[in-house]
C-alpha cells in the first residue's frame, strides 16, 4: 500500500554487447540505480576506458526490465565513443533490460549508433523508467 516505502539503491554491471557476444572495457563501466516504488533511475559511467572491439551501441545488464508500458529515453551528458556525434540519445524499449544508443536525423528514423574501439572512451547516461 505504501509504495514509497519500497526504496532501493545499488549498483549494476553494464555489459557492452556486440553482435557476437560482449566486448571488454577497462576499467570496467559502473552503473548505479535508485528504485522508489515502481520508478527506477539508472546511471551509467564509462570513464577513460579502453574498449576492446567496436559494436552497435547496446549496453545490457540493467538492474530491472522496463515493464512500465512505454519506451524510456535518457540524455547522454557526455560522450566520446560513438561513430556519430549528432543527436544521440539512449533508449530503453518496453520489456527490455538494455540501453540502445541511437541518433535521429531530420525527417528520418532512429539509427543505432556504434561504439568504437580504442582508448579514452567516455559515456555518461541517465534514464528513468517504470516497472510493474
Amino acid at each position: 500500500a505504501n509504495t514509497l516505502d519500497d526504496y532501493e539503491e545499488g549498483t549494476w554491471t553494464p555489459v557492452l554487447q556486440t553482435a557476437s557476444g560482449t566486448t571488454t572495457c577497462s576499467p570496467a563501466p559502473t552503473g548505479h540505480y535508485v528504485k522508489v516504488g515502481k520508478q527506477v533511475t539508472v546511471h551509467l559511467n564509462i570513464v577513460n576506458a579502453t574498449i576492446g572491439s567496436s559494436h552497435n551501441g547496446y549496453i545490457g545488464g540493467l538492474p530491472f526490465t522496463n515493464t512500465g508500458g512505454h519506451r524510456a529515453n535518457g540524455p547522454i551528458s557526455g560522450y566520446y565513443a560513438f561513430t556519430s556525434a549528432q543527436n544521440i540519445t539512449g533508449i530503453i524499449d518496453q520489456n527490455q533490460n538494455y540501453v540502445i544508443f541511437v541518433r535521429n536525423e531530420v525527417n528520418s528514423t532512429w539509427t543505432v549508433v556504434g561504439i568504437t574501439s580504442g582508448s579514452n572512451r567516455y559515456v555518461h547516461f541517465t534514464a528513468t523508467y517504470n516497472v510493474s
Side-chain angles (χ1 to χ4, degrees):
N2 297 318
T3 57
L4 291 179
D5 289 340
D6 179 14
Y7 178 86
E8 179 181 341
E9 59 182 83
T11 60
W12 59 283
T13 303
V15 178
L16 282 66
Q17 299 175 325
T18 69
S20 60
T22 61
T23 190
T24 59
C25 185
S26 178
T30 60
H32 298 81
Y33 72 90
V34 175
K35 180 180 177 289
V36 180
K38 294 182 178 185
Q39 187 176 63
V40 178
T41 299
V42 293
H43 305 280
L44 161 71
N45 291 300
I46 298 174
V47 179
N48 198 24
T50 298
I51 295 177
S53 62
S54 298
H55 61 92
N56 285 336
Y58 290 77
I59 298 184
L62 290 172
F64 301 93
T65 298
N66 177 9
T67 57
H70 61 83
R71 171 184 281 173
N73 294 336
I76 299 172
S77 60
Y79 60 87
Y80 176 72
F82 296 112
T83 55
S84 173
Q86 298 178 348
N87 304 319
I88 299 174
T89 190
I91 59 173
I92 304 167
D93 275 327
Q94 185 176 340
N95 298 317
Q96 300 300 327
N97 67 344
Y98 57 86
V99 179
I100 305 171
F101 293 107
V102 296
R103 78 171 184 267
N104 188 9
E105 299 173 12
V106 176
N107 296 321
S108 184
T109 59
W110 293 106
T111 303
V112 175
V113 178
I115 295 178
T116 58
S117 63
S119 58
N120 301 315
R121 301 299 190 226
Y122 292 85
V123 178
H124 304 285
F125 169 76
T126 300
T128 299
Y129 58 97
N130 293 319
V131 295
S132 52

